[in-house]
Amino acid sequence: MKIMLFDAKPYDRLYFEEANKDFGFEISYTDSTLSEHTAILASGYDAVCPFVDCTVDKKVIDTLKNEGVKIIALRSAGYNNVDYHYAESLSIPVVRVPAYSPHAVAEHSFALLLAIVRKLTHAYVRTREFNFSLNGLVGFDLNGKTIGIIGTGKIGKAAISIAKGFGMKVLAYDPFPSAIKGVEFTDLDTLLQQSDIVSLYCPLTNDNKHMINRGTLKMMKPSAVIVNTSRGALIDSEALLDALKEKKIRAAALDVYEEETGIFYTDQSDTGIEDDTLARLISMPNVIITSHQGYLTEEALRAISQTTLSNIREFAEGRELTNLVK
Ligand code: NAI
């Protein structure tokens, strides 16, 4: 199998080369994201490996088909960026990595939460400038607070164990709840009304775009913190910005942003960004934003490369595809 890995970063190359010692595929790497303009780069390859910021729509899939690509092997859990129904109609299977390290993302959500709650970014900047004043750095305890977990799959469950370790009360909402010790399942409105921290761990689907919107933000406590390490479009960013400006909620900690494609994973320090909503969010003292790095741990990268290549091997050997998106 010849594989073209799009949007390849140095850490992708490192971990894919390491994993490929067990597989022996021919892998090429390109910095380009997969789009209608770059899909032609897949010419002569059997498999393409796009990342979450690649838009794999009908036009891209048509080009891939014409160029002889036989399988789309996502190296991510989320697949909202791929028109997999269309790919299926052209007999191109889409496979993904459903689980690599749920702990990586869950732990990052708590890193963000602690950073915002204990004002660590401000403290860090101060001490670097030898400013040892504590004025304005008063935080609050997580112990005894209520966290609302939206989505209790693999990452949500990992987050629940962390929350319990902090001594938090855990509420949860999931359309498919399964009993979890020490967790009270509620409807979404109750969760939003009663939680001190609301944290999202659900996929982005056709039904839940902007599930956090002007209406649902109004239900939250003015002291509430919202955390999103799932997908940006779960939150209406402009409504979030307004809620923060009007002090309808206390703070936001985000690893994802609805218009992150083309911005996240790139260095725009020379040019700045055109997205005013993102720029304004970044400028706020009660917002922390990371560039979709929840998954970025050694353990996760190792598991992602191994599962991706194993998915491709299953296809090459004509076996049933364990991680087929359907
Ligand atoms: P999972 O499939 O194990 O669990 C998702 C859970 O969300 C399921 O229990 C499902 O019933 C529930 N759910 C579905 N629709 C919902 C809704 N409208 N409201 C509440 N719950 C809903 O998925 P996993 O592995 O826990 O990942 C969750 C999401 O995290 C992924 O879909 C992806 O978007 C995001 N993610 C983010 C990463 C990052 O680097 N920031 C890395 C990996 C995943």
Side-chain angles (χ1 to χ4, degrees):
M1 294 289 281
K2 285 180 72 182
I3 304 165
M4 174 57 87
L5 199 132
F6 282 85
D7 199 11
K9 301 287 188 282
Y11 44 84
D12 294 313
R13 293 170 198 243
L14 186 71
Y15 284 92
F16 269 87
E17 284 304 304
E18 191 182 293
N20 197 32
K21 286 179 190 153
D22 295 335
F23 292 87
F25 291 131
E26 190 180 328
I27 308 179
S28 300
Y29 301 89
T30 171
D31 295 344
S32 306
T33 54
L34 177 56
S35 69
E36 59 176 302
H37 307 295
T38 61
I40 193 77
L41 292 173
S43 181
Y45 287 86
D46 305 297
V48 290
C49 183
F51 193 49
V52 285
D53 58 341
C54 300
T55 305
V56 190
D57 57 15
K58 288 191 174 66
K59 279 186 188 166
V60 170
I61 294 167
D62 279 338
T63 308
L64 295 177
K65 178 83 184 171
N66 288 340
E67 298 307 327
V69 169
K70 299 176 190 71
I71 182 169
I72 299 171
L74 303 174
R75 55 183 198 278
S76 58
Y79 48 87
N80 52 287
N81 54 323
V82 183
D83 190 339
Y84 56 93
H85 291 297
Y86 188 64
E88 192 181 10
S89 74
L90 297 184
S91 303
I92 300 181
V94 177
V95 287
R96 66 179 182 126
V97 185
Y100 32 92
S101 171
H103 307 290
V105 186
E107 288 173 16
H108 189 68
S109 68
F110 274 80
L112 289 173
L113 177 60
L114 282 169
I116 202 82
V117 163
R118 301 307 300 268
K119 309 198 177 184
L120 295 184
T121 48
H122 302 283
Y124 170 76
V125 170
R126 277 192 202 182
T127 51
R128 277 184 64 93
E129 293 179 350
F130 306 125
N131 173 356
F132 300 102
S133 154
L134 296 183
N135 296 335
L137 295 186
V138 178
F140 66 87
D141 291 4
L142 293 183
N143 184 273
K145 297 292 186 306
T146 300
I147 186 165
I149 302 278
I150 301 181
T152 55
K154 292 174 284 299
I155 299 173
K157 284 196 181 82
I160 287 169
S161 5
I162 298 173
K164 284 185 186 164
F166 277 102
M168 304 178 85
K169 179 182 172 191
V170 183
L171 296 181
Y173 165 71
D174 194 302
F176 304 99
S178 57
I180 305 172
K181 204 173 161 215
V183 175
E184 189 187 325
F185 277 88
T186 66
D187 57 88
L188 183 60
D189 291 2
T190 308
L191 179 146
L192 295 171
Q193 285 155 6
Q194 295 186 1
S195 298
D196 301 298
I197 287 107
V198 172
S199 200
L200 293 156
Y201 302 103
C202 61
L204 175 66
T205 64
N206 291 334
D207 306 323
N208 65 8
K209 185 178 178 200
H210 289 180
M211 71 188 294
I212 303 297
N213 52 45
R214 278 177 211 283
T216 47
L217 281 161
K218 259 191 214 147
M219 293 179 193
M220 291 170 61
K221 295 182 184 182
S223 57
V225 178
I226 186 148
V227 184
N228 188 7
T229 52
S230 284
R231 283 293 178 266
L234 292 168
I235 300 183
D236 177 342
S237 318
E238 288 189 14
L240 174 66
L241 178 58
D242 289 342
L244 288 162
K245 285 202 281 196
E246 292 158 18
K247 302 198 175 3
K248 292 198 175 115
I249 61 166
R250 189 201 295 249
L254 311 172
D255 186 45
V256 286
Y257 174 68
E258 61 178 317
E259 301 296 337
E260 70 183 46
T261 302
I263 302 176
F264 282 18
Y265 307 120
T266 66
D267 180 356
Q268 313 234 358
S269 54
D270 275 350
T271 52
I273 53 171
E274 285 176 13
D275 187 320
D276 290 341
T277 307
L278 179 59
R280 184 76 172 94
L281 282 169
I282 289 170
S283 77
M284 299 191 76
N286 50 346
V287 174
I288 181 167
I289 298 185
T290 51
S291 180
H292 204 144
Q293 70 174 75
Y295 74 99
L296 201 67
T297 66
E298 294 168 1
E299 291 79 1
L301 289 170
R302 201 164 284 129
I304 288 169
S305 51
Q306 273 167 356
T307 306
T308 305
L309 297 181
S310 161
N311 287 341
I312 293 171
R313 181 157 68 188
E314 280 182 352
F315 176 79
E317 293 175 353
R319 287 191 278 141
E320 192 182 339
L321 300 176
T322 318
N323 297 317
L324 182 67
V325 177
K326 49 186 172 183

